[in-house]
Amino acid sequence: MKQKIYENFHIQPTKFNPDYYCVIDFEATCEENNPHNYKHEIIEFPALMVNARTLSVDSKFHTYCKPVRSPKLSDFCVKLTGIEQSYCNNKLIFGIQPIALLTNLLPLLRQKTVDEADSFQVVFQNFQKWLEDVLGDSGTFVIVTDGPFDITRFLTIQCKLDKIPMPHWAANWVNVKRTFKTFYKLPGKRFPTLGDMLEQLQIPHDGRLHSGIDDSKNIVNILCQLIRDGCRIEANENFSK
């Protein structure tokens, strides 16, 4: 039963002509200088489901994950991602002690902390269920990321740490950097950054850099402009165990 929950075999990822593009941009634990073989843990899991026909975002999945092996976020990680450890460390919020906040306000604040979040295992199962709900019995999709590391590093490490089989939807995905460089015929070997792509397309940056959900929105904007410009979006990365 556990294997079935993790795999969701009837969900249909595809390399070509999907019904949806599922844009993901993980944020993970980090240090200013990561030691060799540093084990990143995913702390933010955003996903935006883009309708391939209308280019609208039909559904959003977004939550934070509580790291287990490195439960205390580094100061560098907090500053980089904007993700707080907790709003309940006797801090003042709007000049009010947390205990005095209105009960309907505190849950909203806690959504941007890791101490109050579920473990990755729980979040991953919730994500699989979200895929089922959005796709139904026959919908197809392909994952889209800004570079290879969301899958080859962050998801791979996290699945190994939690002894979760790599999901089959991660076998092939779209690296939008590679797509962008190829389609617009950028010179040199360097791949463009998120900022480079937005600047070239004259799209304003939305939100905060290294916020997973904000970066996902920006990737969606780049993806949609590629499609409007006539780019055929196909999987161009693959995961091999």
Side-chain angles (χ1 to χ4, degrees):
M1 182 64 181
K2 186 174 182 180
Q3 179 80 5
K4 185 176 180 181
I5 290 174
Y6 285 139
E7 288 295 338
N8 293 82
F9 289 105
H10 64 278
I11 293 175
Q12 300 180 48
T14 183
K15 294 183 183 180
F16 311 110
N17 301 319
D19 297 315
Y20 292 96
Y21 303 105
C22 185
V23 175
I24 287 177
D25 191 83
F26 296 125
E27 297 301 327
T29 56
C30 57
E31 303 288 341
E32 188 166 7
N33 296 294
N34 292 325
H36 180 62
N37 291 331
Y38 180 80
K39 302 298 183 185
H40 299 275
E41 293 181 79
I42 292 172
I43 55 175
E44 184 180 4
F45 195 138
L48 299 176
M49 195 67 84
V50 180
N51 187 305
R53 181 175 58 84
T54 66
L55 301 186
S56 62
V57 176
D58 283 3
S59 187
K60 177 179 80 171
F61 179 90
H62 182 224
T63 190
Y64 295 89
C65 309
K66 185 174 184 175
V68 176
R69 289 149 191 87
S70 301
K72 179 71 166 64
L73 301 183
S74 68
D75 291 341
F76 174 80
C77 184
V78 172
K79 184 176 180 180
L80 180 72
T81 65
I83 299 171
E84 293 283 353
Q85 185 78 40
S86 174
Y87 279 102
C88 296
N89 292 335
N90 200 34
K91 292 182 179 179
L92 287 173
I93 306 173
F94 308 125
I96 308 172
Q97 290 286 354
I99 196 170
L101 289 172
L102 296 175
T103 55
N104 65 338
L105 176 61
L106 186 54
L108 295 176
L109 293 172
R110 283 180 169 174
Q111 288 177 16
K112 291 198 69 176
T113 71
V114 295
D115 281 353
E116 292 81 12
D118 290 320
S119 68
F120 178 82
Q121 290 178 320
V122 173
V123 170
F124 184 76
Q125 291 184 30
N126 291 340
F127 174 72
Q128 296 285 86
K129 178 62 167 58
W130 174 75
L131 285 177
E132 290 183 338
D133 292 342
V134 174
L135 298 168
D137 293 331
S138 59
T140 60
F141 74 106
V142 64
I143 296 293
V144 180
T145 65
D146 177 37
F149 293 142
D150 291 276
I151 304 299
T152 61
R153 182 178 296 175
F154 299 143
L155 184 62
T156 300
I157 290 173
Q158 189 70 62
C159 286
K160 286 180 179 178
L161 288 173
D162 286 335
K163 296 179 172 58
I164 297 173
M166 277 293 284
H168 61 305
W169 47 255
N172 299 279
W173 75 97
V174 177
N175 173 350
V176 78
K177 290 180 186 289
R178 187 179 297 278
T179 301
F180 190 97
K181 178 176 172 57
T182 300
F183 181 73
Y184 293 116
K185 298 179 172 59
L186 302 188
K189 295 182 179 180
R190 176 181 171 273
F191 284 96
T193 66
L194 187 65
D196 292 335
M197 293 186 285
L198 291 170
E199 182 177 2
Q200 179 165 329
L201 296 175
Q202 298 183 334
I203 299 174
H205 186 275
D206 184 2
R208 176 194 175 109
L209 186 63
H210 297 303
S211 159
I213 188 61
D214 289 346
D215 285 350
S216 296
K217 293 174 183 177
N218 287 299
I219 297 167
V220 167
N221 290 336
I222 293 165
L223 173 70
C224 291
Q225 190 58 53
L226 277 161
I227 295 171
R228 292 188 191 103
D229 286 347
C231 180
R232 178 180 170 88
I233 305 298
E234 299 177 349
N236 54 16
E237 298 276 7
N238 63 82
F239 172 83
S240 56
K241 297 180 180 179

